[in-house]
Amino acid sequence: DTGVSQDPRHKITKRGQNVTFRCDPISEHNRLYWYRQTLGQGPEFLTYFQNEAQLEKSRLLSDRFSAERPKGSFSTLEIQRTEQGDSAMYLCASSLAGAYEQFFGPGTRLTVL
Amino acid sequence: GQNIDQPTEMTATEGAIVQINCTYQTSGFNGLFWYQQHAGEAPTFLSYNVLDGLEEKGRFSSFLSRSKGYSYLLLKELQMKDSASYLCAVPSGGYNKLIFGAGTRLAVHP
């Protein structure tokens, strides 16, 4: 399968714990996006990478959130000291530079108890 | 800034036709996307319109009017599997992040 993959698919954690999610984009795609989606809403942009450079971050991304894409391939999103309000679906998408269509991964559903 | 509006919920009968509307306001326009999202799954691409008019793709068609800031998704010969959320989105900024509407939940019943 050559689509976008995300791991884990589901994560349940206790408030205050740290969690890390991984996204593997389509191999030739140099653009990578993270979005967050809560129930009944559309996805909201969190951050964007072009190759290994993080070029844009949303104001939604508090200091507890950090994302990396160390070699311009896979990306990780870490949430420190999780809060119940962090419960959401975290979606990763990738695209080719210059192309508008983004391909989404299956998402990681986070539940913070 | 950007603003996207679409109805929250719609219901339709199997075999019928349904039209899902989307209005948008953007500071610049680089096209409009429609995505389908089944419950608990990722959005999947349906269509991309950048020019005015209707684009048909099988049972699904998408229409755009740039002067009116308006688009619609037309679903024909509805099937039960079409029950899903339909998301309208526009690319924004130099890196083309997508700005999504809240989505329209479509329920198809027998």
Side-chain angles (χ1 to χ4, degrees), chain B residues 51-93:
Chain B
L51 299 176
D52 290 348
L54 184 69
E55 293 199 8
E56 299 184 68
K57 192 185 295 184
R59 293 190 300 115
F60 292 8
S61 302
S62 55
F63 171 84
L64 176 68
S65 169
R66 289 173 293 173
S67 63
K68 296 181 180 178
Y70 168 69
S71 173
Y72 67 73
L73 182 69
L74 193 70
L75 291 74
K76 303 176 185 175
E77 301 168 14
L78 281 171
Q79 302 175 9
M80 298 298 289
K81 67 179 182 180
D82 297 328
S83 293
S85 284
Y86 291 86
L87 300 162
C88 177
V90 293
S92 173

Side-chain angles (χ1 to χ4, degrees), chain A residues 19-90:
Chain A
V19 294
T20 300
F21 310 142
R22 176 179 170 126
C23 169
D24 286 87
I26 295 171
S27 59
E28 62 268 26
H29 287 184
N30 57 349
R31 293 187 167 189
L32 187 147
Y33 305 80
W34 285 98
Y35 294 86
R36 179 172 68 187
Q37 186 176 25
T38 53
L39 199 62
Q41 298 298 315
E44 295 176 294
F45 170 77
L46 292 179
T47 191
Y48 163 72
F49 288 87
Q50 182 157 318
N51 300 311
E52 66 275 10
Q54 186 176 22
L55 298 183
E56 188 171 354
K57 291 170 61 174
S58 163
R59 283 172 295 204
L60 293 175
L61 219 62
S62 75
D63 291 345
R64 297 185 297 105
F65 287 70
S66 62
E68 294 183 342
R69 193 182 183 196
K71 297 182 180 179
S73 57
F74 73 92
S75 175
T76 58
L77 178 68
E78 181 183 15
I79 309 175
Q80 296 182 327
R81 304 182 303 282
T82 52
E83 301 173 356
Q84 287 186 326
D86 297 331
S87 295
M89 174 79 89
Y90 289 83

Side-chain angles (χ1 to χ4, degrees), chain B:
Chain B
Q2 289 81 23
N3 190 47
I4 299 175
D5 288 311
Q6 47 182 138
T8 304
E9 292 185 353
M10 299 183 72
T11 59
T13 305
E14 194 174 15
I17 299 172
V18 70
Q19 177 175 312
I20 302 174
N21 297 324
C22 170
T23 57
Y24 64 89
Q25 293 174 316
T26 62
S27 52
F29 184 74
N30 287 307
L32 185 142
F33 286 92
W34 284 97
Y35 281 83
Q36 180 191 59
Q37 187 176 29
H38 285 98
E41 298 182 10
T44 56
F45 170 81
L46 288 178
S47 67
Y48 174 59
N49 294 65
V50 64
L51 299 176
D52 290 348
L54 184 69
E55 293 199 8
E56 299 184 68
K57 192 185 295 184
R59 293 190 300 115
F60 292 8
S61 302
S62 55
F63 171 84
L64 176 68
S65 169
R66 289 173 293 173
S67 63
K68 296 181 180 178
Y70 168 69
S71 173
Y72 67 73
L73 182 69
L74 193 70
L75 291 74
K76 303 176 185 175
E77 301 168 14
L78 281 171
Q79 302 175 9
M80 298 298 289
K81 67 179 182 180
D82 297 328
S83 293
S85 284
Y86 291 86
L87 300 162
C88 177
V90 293
S92 173
Y95 307 124
N96 298 327
K97 62 179 180 285
L98 291 175
I99 307 301
F100 285 88
T104 299
R105 285 191 303 280
L106 174 66
V108 180
H109 55 83

